[in-house]
Amino acid sequence: MRGPLGPVIGRYPSSDGNAGMGTGNKDIIKHNRKCRDVVFLVMFIGFWVAMIVNSSFGFNLGNPLRLNYGLDYKGNVCGDRHADRDLRELELRYWLNPNQVYQSGLKDSKFHISNARSICLMDCPNPSEDSLNWVCDYPEGDIRLSIDDWIDRNYDYFADLTPELRNTSLQLLGPCYPVVFPSVNVYWTCQLIARVSNVSMRHWQQMGGVSIIEDIAIDKAVHRSINLRSAVLKRYVADVGKSWRVLLVCGGLVPLFLSVIWLLMIRHFVAGMPWITVILFNILVISVTMFYYLKAGWIGNDAISPIIGEHDPYYHVSARETSHLHLAAVVMTAVMIIAFLSSIAIVRRILMATSVLKVAAKVIGEVQALIIFPVIPYVMLAVFFMFWISAALYLFSSGTVQQNECSANCCAYDLKSKRVSCDQCCGYRLHYTSHIAAAILFHLFGGYWATQFFIACSSTVLAGSVASYYWARGETSPEIPFLPVFSSMKRLIRYSLGSIALGSLIVSFIESIRFILEALRRRLKLSNSMPGSWLGKMVFHTSHGCLRCISWTIKSVNRNAYIMIAITGKGFFKASEIATELIMSNILRIGKVNVLGDVILFLGKLCVSLTSALFAFLMLDTHRYKSAHNKISSPLFPVLVCWILGYIVATLFFGVVEMSIDTIILSFCQDSDEHQGTAQYAPPLLMETLNDQNEMQRLTQ
């Protein structure tokens, strides 16, 4: 059984009714504490060491250019200035031998397109209108040309070849290859269009070249390689790296500004804030949904295009990115409808939320450092995310470039050895080992755990500050430390970091399990391996819903546990027990008001994050991100990351109001329990809100 909190809290006695004002305690919350859950603090420190080691592995082996650009026939990454030769301007991958591309596109062919001979170019070549164009290998050996001269000659030195090399070129063995198919730049890969140029083909045939196959399989083979799931995922990750300015502004500065404005408005205009929040939330949901419609091509003429640069307006290329935007637009439509209906449902209940927000506004007015404090965890999280996102880019590109093992006919002339080589002619690919996959998963888990840890630390510091205010009867007492926020921070760092590490670890672990099970569920659904019986389907979907409920419950329990950790200094599990018992014994009294307050705060966080997403759409719609090497494949991931970052920043600042409400209510419950149902130390405004019988009857109708 837990005892009364009076002896812990210090200034006021427990409910024996005999003790007077404490004389030996100068702090509202006494410092007779000890370190809790130290093992988990050590585990968290070890985790940070492992994160640094894991990230250094990515920084050493990764190359973010691999996320966007392909490999040439030497295994170089296109656009890489540190390759065997400087390829900084040669970003586009082009397949030289159309017959090899055709062979890779056949249904039962064992020849993979990665083994077809490819080269890095500055632009995609197209057939000439009156002659035959050529694209030749990088100049080396007897070809005395610099890369710059080679580029200036449009990659063509066929006229300088010896009769022997011209003959091998006519056999499609190199070093020069004819350009008979037009091509267009699709995500930094030259998409061959299976529409042969009659003029170029006629010149080719007159020169005695071997037969070149014209078939739609050529088009499909290249298109299939561009739209591989792994290639799309790499482009999404690369989009995040390219749009770092957008993340900085829309994921960092915009939510910071909006969150501070929202707190100030709560302080000075609390009566109208619930209404403003609900109305603004609906406007923002509609606006973001419309932007998804625009980019998906359902309205207007601003749909994303996988084609980079100028091209034939009658030629269209499909891409997975467009399909994903269609899905996102459908999801946002459903969210928009649910948001509108939910807003209608809570309109009559907004007055309840206003009452409890007034209490939080009163606390913020008395302890003004509460508004400033979230800047500290904000800066720490900003530094962490800069490091984490940079490391993620390198980890996702940290595979090793390896030459394929192939038995297909890929013979080509080698300018260095001066002969046709059939031994080392296979293509290259980026090879990912299981260790790299484990490193990426660890990095993702680590990012979530660290984020939860910083948010939990912020919440605990805020709870300790607000508890000082409550147990001083809402007065500006000289016994409250001048800066209660920093006093609370000192207690956290000295005694309770282990408990915070444990709580954040539990949330991260539960969320990771839910994520893994959700991924398995989707994979089973795609592979048609779902349970066949109605009972199996019911269990399958019920378990998914139960896991979501468990996750939500754990987060709720954690938040209240952090409050009791700040007040009592207990370990995580003991604090959770105390908080749960207090809430359950007073659920009918405080439940409705607390839930509605949380709903308004949740909508406020969504307003901030939706505004971040809206600004991200606007920034990504500029010329910088729609052309050349800065072009993003889709706004989906950058907008989603800005949305998440905006929500995290809002959580830090809205935690001031959230933790004020929850701490005041938990303290009120304890106060009431110790004084036979009548709180003695609650601020007058809280008493008016919760303890007045007429008000309570109105709220519970």
Side-chain angles (χ1 to χ4, degrees):
M1 295 292 293
R2 61 180 176 85
L5 295 187
V8 177
I9 294 189
R11 169 177 173 174
Y12 294 108
S14 60
S15 55
D16 56 20
N18 298 321
M21 298 283 286
T23 58
N25 299 314
K26 295 185 178 181
D27 288 325
I28 299 306
I29 300 178
K30 292 175 64 175
H31 287 192
N32 53 346
R33 300 177 177 228
K34 63 179 181 179
C35 295
R36 305 284 184 176
D37 301 317
V38 179
V39 173
F40 293 96
L41 177 59
V42 174
M43 184 185 300
F44 186 72
I45 294 173
F47 148 77
W48 266 101
V49 173
M51 277 282 288
I52 294 173
V53 173
N54 190 58
S55 299
S56 64
F57 164 79
F59 286 125
N60 287 331
L61 297 181
N63 182 358
L65 290 175
R66 298 171 182 168
L67 299 173
N68 259 338
Y69 306 127
L71 304 175
D72 65 10
Y73 65 89
K74 289 181 174 289
N76 298 316
V77 180
C78 294
D80 189 0
R81 68 179 64 187
H82 302 297
D84 291 341
R85 59 189 75 242
D86 189 351
L87 302 177
R88 74 181 71 187
E89 295 180 344
L90 306 175
E91 299 177 340
L92 308 185
R93 185 186 192 185
Y94 174 72
W95 276 278
L96 294 163
N97 191 330
N99 281 359
Q100 288 182 341
V101 177
Y102 166 76
Q103 187 179 353
S104 68
L106 296 177
K107 186 175 182 180
D108 298 323
S109 175
K110 295 182 180 180
F111 187 85
H112 194 270
I113 194 170
S114 63
N115 293 316
R117 196 171 183 83
S118 61
I119 195 171
C120 300
L121 305 178
M122 187 179 293
D123 47 22
C124 292
N126 282 290
S128 172
E129 295 181 357
D130 54 8
S131 62
L132 178 61
N133 289 340
W134 299 81
V135 174
C136 303
D137 290 344
Y138 302 126
E140 57 185 352
D142 292 337
I143 307 299
R144 309 295 183 181
L145 287 176
S146 66
I147 286 292
D148 289 337
D149 291 338
W150 175 68
I151 295 174
D152 291 340
R153 297 175 62 165
N154 290 324
Y155 328 109
D156 182 1
Y157 50 76
F158 180 80
D160 299 336
L161 296 180
T162 63
E164 177 188 0
L165 294 185
R166 290 189 181 189
N167 184 56
T168 57
S169 297
L170 292 172
Q171 301 298 315
L172 287 181
L173 297 175
C176 293
Y177 298 84
V179 180
V180 296
F181 292 102
S183 60
V184 64
N185 180 0
V186 177
Y187 295 138
W188 301 276
T189 295
C190 293
Q191 167 73 62
L192 298 178
I193 303 173
R195 189 173 63 237
V196 72
S197 167
N198 294 328
V199 173
S200 297
M201 183 62 77
R202 184 168 62 250
H203 278 86
W204 171 257
Q205 292 171 347
Q206 289 173 354
M207 295 175 69
V210 298
S211 175
I212 294 179
I213 303 173
E214 178 186 4
D215 194 278
I216 194 63
I218 295 175
D219 192 310
K220 290 183 176 179
V222 178
H223 183 264
R224 193 182 304 119
S225 70
I226 295 174
N227 279 293
L228 289 173
R229 286 189 175 89
S230 58
V232 174
L233 177 59
K234 290 177 185 177
R235 288 198 293 270
Y236 280 153
V237 175
D239 289 343
V240 175
K242 290 180 181 179
S243 56
W244 63 269
R245 292 179 180 84
V246 179
L247 302 187
L248 183 63
V249 174
C250 301
L253 300 180
V254 169
L256 171 64
F257 175 76
L258 293 176
S259 298
V260 172
I261 293 297
W262 198 90
L263 283 181
L264 292 175
M265 292 185 70
I266 279 287
R267 172 70 183 92
H268 299 287
F269 192 53
V270 65
M273 281 308 295
W275 298 98
I276 294 173
T277 300
V278 172
I279 294 171
L280 186 60
F281 169 67
N282 283 275
I283 294 174
L284 288 170
V285 168
I286 294 172
S287 300
V288 172
T289 303
M290 291 302 103
F291 263 102
Y292 275 112
Y293 279 25
L294 279 170
K295 296 304 176 182
W298 289 353
I299 59 175
N301 299 309
D302 197 26
I304 65 167
S305 172
I307 302 176
I308 303 173
E310 297 181 359
H311 62 281
D312 184 347
Y314 296 102
Y315 182 73
H316 298 280
V317 179
S318 61
R320 285 183 183 271
E321 284 85 348
T322 304
S323 301
H324 294 163
L325 277 176
H326 290 167
L327 178 61
V330 171
V331 171
M332 283 304 302
T333 302
V335 170
M336 180 177 64
I337 295 172
I338 294 172
F340 182 73
L341 296 177
S342 301
S343 300
I344 295 175
I346 67 171
V347 163
R348 296 181 58 188
R349 310 284 183 175
I350 284 181
L351 289 178
M352 302 180 195
T354 304
S355 300
V356 75
L357 287 177
K358 287 180 180 178
V359 178
K362 174 70 173 175
V363 177
I364 295 172
E366 295 291 341
V367 190
Q368 296 183 5
L370 289 175
I371 297 180
I372 302 173
F373 167 73
V375 174
I376 297 175
Y378 168 83
V379 171
M380 297 175 68
L381 264 179
V383 174
F384 168 73
F385 278 128
M386 289 178 188
F387 163 78
W388 188 86
I389 292 175
S390 299
L393 291 173
Y394 279 87
L395 279 171
F396 270 92
S397 61
S398 59
T400 55
V401 176
Q402 295 181 355
Q403 190 167 23
N404 299 329
E405 295 181 1
C406 63
S407 57
N409 179 19
C410 61
C411 299
Y413 191 89
D414 188 343
L415 288 171
K416 278 189 174 181
S417 61
K418 299 180 181 180
R419 65 182 181 87
V420 175
S421 174
C422 297
D423 298 329
Q424 299 293 325
C425 61
C426 296
Y428 292 81
R429 65 187 177 92
L430 193 60
H431 178 68
Y432 289 94
T433 64
S434 57
H435 298 88
I436 296 175
I440 292 174
L441 291 176
F442 178 80
H443 192 71
L444 294 174
F445 176 81
Y448 191 80
W449 187 10
T451 302
Q452 291 297 318
F453 179 83
F454 284 119
I455 293 175
C457 286
S458 177
S459 299
T460 307
V461 171
L462 293 171
S465 306
V466 176
S468 298
Y469 166 83
Y470 179 91
W471 294 99
R473 296 181 184 269
E475 301 170 356
T476 307
S477 169
E479 295 189 22
I480 298 181
F482 176 71
L483 291 176
V485 170
F486 293 100
S487 180
S488 180
M489 189 188 308
K490 179 180 176 182
R491 290 193 299 270
L492 167 70
I493 296 173
R494 186 172 180 180
Y495 300 109
S496 302
L497 283 179
S499 300
I500 301 305
L502 173 57
S504 56
L505 175 62
I506 291 174
V507 172
S508 303
F509 184 71
I510 295 295
E511 285 294 305
S512 298
I513 292 177
R514 189 169 71 84
F515 175 79
I516 292 171
L517 292 180
E518 177 67 15
L520 290 175
R521 186 182 73 87
R522 291 180 180 275
R523 180 160 294 186
L524 288 173
K525 188 175 182 179
L526 290 173
S527 61
N528 295 321
S529 300
M530 295 281 288
S533 65
W534 66 269
L535 181 61
K537 290 181 179 178
M538 183 182 70
V539 171
F540 187 82
H541 292 290
T542 302
S543 61
H544 173 67
C546 289
L547 199 59
R548 291 185 67 90
C549 291
I550 292 172
S551 174
W552 180 86
T553 304
I554 290 292
K555 288 182 179 179
S556 178
V557 170
N558 272 18
R559 191 174 68 187
N560 292 308
Y562 298 146
I563 295 172
M564 300 314 296
I565 288 171
I567 295 176
T568 67
K570 300 293 184 183
F572 176 78
F573 291 115
K574 184 63 177 178
S576 300
E577 178 187 346
I578 295 173
T580 303
E581 186 176 341
L582 279 174
I583 292 173
M584 294 306 295
S585 61
N586 293 272
I587 189 67
L588 294 178
R589 199 174 190 189
I590 67 170
K592 186 177 293 187
V593 174
N594 198 21
V595 168
L596 285 170
D598 285 347
V599 169
I600 295 299
L601 290 172
F602 176 67
L603 293 181
K605 295 175 191 177
L606 288 180
C607 284
V608 171
S609 57
L610 283 168
T611 305
S612 299
L614 194 61
F615 273 90
F617 268 122
L618 293 173
M619 283 192 69
L620 292 170
D621 207 32
T622 58
H623 178 74
R624 177 184 184 87
Y625 300 104
K626 299 176 75 172
S627 62
H629 64 277
N630 282 322
K631 177 183 170 69
I632 60 169
S633 63
S634 168
L636 187 60
F637 259 48
V639 168
L640 182 61
V641 172
C642 287
W643 194 333
I644 294 172
L645 292 177
Y647 188 86
I648 292 172
V649 173
T651 299
L652 288 176
F653 283 86
F654 282 49
V656 173
V657 179
E658 200 167 23
M659 296 307 291
S660 295
I661 294 172
D662 290 344
T663 304
I664 288 288
I665 287 179
L666 271 180
S667 298
F668 175 85
C669 292
Q670 176 62 31
D671 196 1
S672 298
D673 282 1
E674 291 193 12
H675 298 93
Q676 291 78 44
T678 303
Q680 297 295 313
Y681 311 119
L685 184 57
L686 180 66
M687 297 290 291
E688 179 184 343
T689 301
L690 292 178
N691 222 26
D692 181 71
Q693 294 301 318
N694 294 331
E695 179 71 8
M696 288 299 299
Q697 289 176 5
R698 184 182 69 80
L699 293 179
T700 54
Q701 284 179 352

